[in-house]
Amino acid sequence: MILGPPSLGRLAESLLKLPGIGKKTAERLALYIFKMPEEDASTLAEAIIEVKRRTRLCSVCCNVTEDDPCPICDDETRDEALLCIVEQPGDVIALERTGQFRGHYHVLQGALSPLDGVGPEQLRVAELMPRLQSGKVREVILATNPNVEGEATALYLAKLIKPMGMTVTRIARGIPVGSDLDFADEVTLARALDGRQSV
Amino acid sequence: MILGPPSLGRLAESLLKLPGIGKKTAERLALYIFKMPEEDASTLAEAIIEVKRRTRLCSVCCNVTEDDPCPICDDETRDEALLCIVEQPGDVIALERTGQFRGHYHVLQGALSPLDGVGPEQLRVAELMPRLQSGKVREVILATNPNVEGEATALYLAKLIKPMGMTVTRIARGIPVGSDLDFADEVTLARALDGRQSV
């Protein structure tokens, strides 16, 4: 694809596999890496190798971690009665950034998507079961994405967990803070109306 | 910055140094690389190392190359009388893609920018001189970018080269093909008028 030295082309093709990186960007990044100081380039290459070598999934919550159990599962100051189920490690990072949640997490590593061949067996549901059966969890918060796959996953989990006697909640869907009512799509607006709360 | 395993944070910080990659994208890419098959991740890391190890600047045209002189300088079917001066290796790739130019290139590896401390000494002008003095070049095409730095560089080079007796031309600036007159800024539109050609 890229016209130029083969090693530059190979780098561009490798970068092209990353999400959100198109042909032009891959080319631009490859040329930038070529111009980088040798040191920065090796740091980047090593960081890629390291992240694969050092990290694994926490055996408790299935989040990305270097230590097993992960620092969140290992943190005794956190509330064991609250379990927040998310799709991806990135969702844990986003929720932790709010500083509002002091419970534990469970990372499914995906969402139900029958068309892509992702059923409950492909998700980390097997690891979730013993946690729920331990009797320590009082409330399960379903924080999967508010899209088709996420909603289907939340529905599936709710049906699975409710009979076990725990409170099952779903994060609120509504107008994002700071945005305009005008710009919200109808489904979001309908959800925002549905989820209205007394003030 | 990133909340999570330190190796993930280090990777995100390394990625953040790349152009056009912000904090959110760096985080997303780092998590994606964590999830990549081991093989793809090492291919990417190796490609980064390889591009630094294998490539150098061509001693003739200062373009990125694995062989010296580069395949373009080495190509005897190309017209030695035409020399196109560009700022970056990426510009050569873009021009080669048109398939319209069969002359040689010279890559300045930058553009004049006094505020950033880039003067003629920081550009590959010293390597340009012997090429012009060889007597083989008949026309020099200035294909630096149509922005302040690129125009200043073109002006500087024109003043330098014209007394040597060669034809010096500048690539046309005007309305991009496929775009609308409405959307063009005034300067571009004025340039397009200036550069009008009889049909």
Side-chain angles (χ1 to χ4, degrees), chain B residues 6-129:
Chain B
S7 57
L8 206 68
R10 280 196 298 273
L11 176 56
E13 263 166 70
S14 258
L15 291 166
L16 198 54
K17 288 186 187 164
L18 300 176
I21 307 279
K23 210 176 138 190
K24 279 256 170 187
T25 311
E27 213 174 281
R28 198 164 43 92
L29 288 177
L31 282 165
Y32 185 88
I33 289 170
F34 158 73
K35 285 195 137 196
M36 261 184 165
E38 182 91 43
E39 207 185 293
D40 286 359
S42 0
T43 308
L44 175 58
E46 270 161 36
I48 292 169
I49 297 288
E50 282 292 283
V51 90
K52 291 300 294 179
R53 184 159 35 198
R54 293 208 186 198
T55 58
R56 74 200 83 177
L57 295 189
C58 169
S59 60
V60 181
C61 71
C62 304
N63 193 9
V64 188
T65 182
E66 289 185 12
D67 309 304
D68 192 12
C70 74
I72 294 179
C73 289
D74 212 30
D75 185 346
E76 289 181 5
T77 67
R78 300 186 76 115
D79 188 356
E80 276 193 309
L82 274 176
L83 186 67
C84 180
I85 303 184
V86 298
E87 294 179 20
Q88 301 289 357
D91 302 334
V92 175
I93 295 173
L95 284 165
E96 280 298 284
R97 207 166 268 151
T98 67
Q100 291 284 310
F101 184 70
R102 294 294 301 164
H104 285 261
Y105 293 97
H106 191 82
V107 183
L108 295 171
Q109 297 291 344
L112 292 179
S113 178
L115 287 178
D116 302 316
V118 182
E121 307 76 34
Q122 277 71 44
L123 302 180
R124 301 290 174 156
V125 177
E127 287 87 346
L128 177 61
M129 286 303 121

Side-chain angles (χ1 to χ4, degrees), chain A residues 37-106:
Chain A
E38 181 90 42
E39 206 185 294
D40 286 359
S42 0
T43 308
L44 175 58
E46 271 161 36
I48 291 169
I49 298 288
E50 282 291 284
V51 90
K52 290 300 295 179
R53 184 160 34 200
R54 294 209 186 197
T55 57
R56 73 201 83 176
L57 295 189
C58 168
S59 60
V60 182
C61 72
C62 304
N63 192 9
V64 188
T65 182
E66 289 186 12
D67 309 302
D68 192 10
C70 74
I72 294 179
C73 290
D74 211 31
D75 185 347
E76 288 182 6
T77 68
R78 298 185 77 115
D79 189 356
E80 276 193 308
L82 274 175
L83 185 68
C84 180
I85 303 183
V86 297
E87 293 180 20
Q88 301 288 358
D91 303 333
V92 174
I93 295 172
L95 285 164
E96 280 298 283
R97 207 166 267 153
T98 67
Q100 292 284 310
F101 183 69
R102 294 294 301 162
H104 285 260
Y105 292 97
H106 191 83

